[in-house]
Amino acid sequence: MHKLLTSILLLFLLLGSGPTFAKSNEYRFTIKPGDSLSKYFSQLGLSDRLLANLLSANSQNKQLNQLKIGEKITIRLQKNRRFKSLSYYPNDKKNLEIFLVGNRFSNAPTHSKINAKPFSTINVVISNSFGYDAQKAGLGLSVVDAVVEALSWRLDFDTDLHKGDRFSIVTDGSAKPIGIIYEGHNKQIEAFLHTNKQGKTRYYNRYGYTLNSSFLRAPLKYKRISSKFQLKRYHPILKTYRPHRAVDYAADYGTPVVSTADGVVQLKGWKGALGKTVIIKHGVSYTTVYAHLSKYARSLRKGSSVKKGQVIGYVGSTGRSTGAHLHYELRFKGERQDPLSYKLPKQKKVAHSELWRFREQVNRVLASL
């Protein structure tokens, strides 16, 4: 079915009456004689019932029954080919934006562009380092810090950057950039500033989710906690009382150990009494340590990105250890915290009631580039 649909779309394109492909899963139409929204839906494999529901969802949508030659329509599909959104650009009326949220169609609110702050974009092309090249391009230190903090959950500024990588920093005169787009050799990252009704400002991706990962409470399936986080613990080998700012999980030798959050591998190697150790950096503030491992995951490399739940090694008893267990540390800005009680950050999303305002801002930022 997918191959047949692709062939049909290609045929329409060759005949000159099909959509223009702006980017993956986005199709742009210019109204020609005899065209209709029903025709476009049919070309994209969308049902008549879906179209009927869209037209009846809002009185504004009925104008789509009377398209005029030369007007433009953009239809966006999900990766699974389901309808995502539609943009209608009439010649003599305000633009119309329609989104499918769950099973309901919603119209994005329109705001006057006259009152919107003008955008300016500064492009930073990497030739040396982000800090050096950004300041050379005219960005202040506060903006540089804001960019690093916003993207650090997805980008290691020390190891991921290559010559020719590009940052587009969009500002409207506020203290922080309202849009940050990174285009690298192997990845692309977007971050858009949004202030919620409570006045909290965060960066989100275009779908309304923060870039940071939530944390797992434990990095493995364990039998028991053999030693908790404590300031005074009797050490079984050194025969003395010392602080133990970590949690020890007793587990079978060879039990898989996973990263508790998305991050970048900072260390993979022997670390004194900790034996075989993996240290992972999560954003600019958080670090986790996994020690006494028997071996590492085969694909693990220093500087490589890891996902939450990805296997990074296996339980062992290397270093100063009396038996198979995992020594696990959680650090916030370099200070060790109790993994069992510390309030870990969670991935946030834009509130449903604010989503249209956020998406309109995202569209304005992307259109300004």
Side-chain angles (χ1 to χ4, degrees):
M1 179 64 185
H2 180 71
K3 291 183 178 179
L4 177 61
L5 179 60
T6 302
S7 299
I8 292 173
L9 289 172
L10 181 59
L11 178 60
F12 275 109
L13 185 61
L14 292 173
L15 292 176
S17 58
T20 298
F21 296 81
K23 53 187 175 182
S24 178
N25 297 327
E26 182 174 289
Y27 306 91
R28 294 179 180 175
F29 301 86
T30 300
I31 312 302
K32 298 180 176 60
D35 282 1
S36 66
L37 191 56
S38 176
K39 176 181 177 180
Y40 300 152
F41 268 48
S42 178
Q43 289 181 22
L44 298 178
L46 303 174
S47 69
D48 292 337
R49 183 175 180 178
L50 181 78
L51 175 59
N53 290 339
L54 181 149
L55 294 173
S56 62
N58 188 298
S59 59
Q60 297 180 60
N61 299 356
K62 294 180 180 178
Q63 62 185 293
L64 292 166
N65 283 321
Q66 300 175 329
L67 303 178
K68 297 179 181 179
I69 295 173
E71 294 178 337
K72 298 181 185 299
I73 286 180
T74 297
I75 298 175
R76 303 171 191 87
L77 305 182
Q78 305 280 4
K79 290 183 179 179
N80 60 5
R81 307 296 300 173
R82 292 187 70 243
F83 178 91
K84 181 179 179 182
S85 67
L86 179 149
S87 300
Y88 172 47
Y89 309 99
N91 295 327
D92 53 357
K93 299 177 183 177
K94 289 183 178 180
N95 297 346
L96 178 66
E97 301 284 345
I98 305 172
F99 294 85
L100 181 61
V101 182
N103 295 318
R104 298 181 60 185
F105 289 97
S106 297
N107 294 70
T110 56
H111 300 284
S112 172
K113 291 187 177 181
I114 296 176
N115 296 326
K117 294 181 180 179
F119 293 159
S120 62
T121 302
I122 296 178
N123 295 312
V124 178
V125 180
I126 299 301
S127 62
N128 189 313
S129 68
F130 175 71
Y132 174 85
D133 295 321
Q135 291 183 68
K136 188 176 179 181
L139 293 178
L141 283 175
S142 61
V143 175
V144 172
D145 290 342
V147 173
V148 172
E149 184 174 359
L151 302 189
S152 60
W153 281 89
R154 294 286 178 266
L155 185 69
D156 189 319
F157 283 79
D158 294 325
T159 61
D160 283 351
L161 298 185
H162 300 83
K163 285 188 177 181
D165 287 2
R166 181 186 185 92
F167 290 83
S168 296
I169 315 298
V170 183
T171 65
D172 65 352
S174 302
K176 290 185 177 182
I178 61 166
I180 305 167
I181 289 85
Y182 164 73
E183 296 173 287
H185 282 60
N186 302 315
K187 65 176 75 175
Q188 178 170 322
I189 307 170
E190 299 172 335
F192 303 93
L193 195 67
H194 175 71
T195 302
N196 63 21
K197 291 181 179 179
Q198 290 72 43
K200 181 67 175 180
T201 298
R202 295 186 179 93
Y203 282 98
Y204 300 82
N205 63 21
R206 65 166 65 191
Y207 305 108
Y209 290 88
T210 54
L211 275 65
N212 67 284
S213 164
S214 298
F215 278 79
L216 297 172
R217 268 298 168 188
L220 78 169
K221 292 181 180 180
Y222 58 94
K223 291 182 176 180
R224 60 187 174 85
I225 294 176
S226 57
S227 184
K228 294 184 178 181
F229 186 98
Q230 49 197 309
L231 298 180
K232 190 176 182 181
R233 182 196 71 156
Y234 183 76
H235 198 286
I237 295 177
L238 299 178
K239 308 298 182 183
T240 184
Y241 285 93
R242 303 184 68 180
H244 185 253
R245 296 186 177 93
V247 172
D248 287 351
Y249 294 97
D252 290 334
Y253 189 93
T255 299
V257 176
V258 303
S259 174
T260 50
D262 295 353
V264 178
V265 178
Q266 208 172 31
L267 172 80
K268 172 198 169 187
W270 190 273
K271 191 169 176 62
L274 295 178
K276 289 185 176 180
T277 302
V278 172
I279 298 179
I280 298 176
K281 181 181 178 184
H282 314 276
V284 295
S285 299
Y286 292 92
T287 305
T288 51
V289 179
Y290 313 77
H292 301 313
L293 301 172
S294 60
K295 61 179 180 178
Y296 310 105
R298 184 174 298 178
S299 60
L300 199 70
R301 299 286 185 276
K302 181 181 178 181
S304 63
S305 297
V306 292
K307 293 291 185 181
K308 180 172 71 174
Q310 179 179 329
V311 175
I312 58 173
Y314 301 87
V315 169
S317 188
T318 55
R320 189 183 296 153
S321 170
T322 58
H325 73 283
L326 176 73
H327 171 101
Y328 175 65
E329 295 179 20
L330 171 69
R331 300 175 183 176
F332 175 71
K333 295 185 177 179
E335 295 292 327
R336 293 170 182 163
Q337 308 294 330
D338 185 351
L340 300 178
S341 62
Y342 186 81
K343 188 176 180 180
L344 291 161
K346 294 182 178 180
Q347 189 175 46
K348 305 286 186 179
K349 63 179 180 180
V350 175
H352 181 76
S353 61
E354 302 174 24
L355 197 55
W356 307 132
R357 178 167 62 90
F358 170 74
R359 285 178 172 168
E360 185 182 57
Q361 177 88 329
V362 169
N363 289 336
R364 288 188 61 225
V365 170
L366 294 176
S368 72
L369 298 175

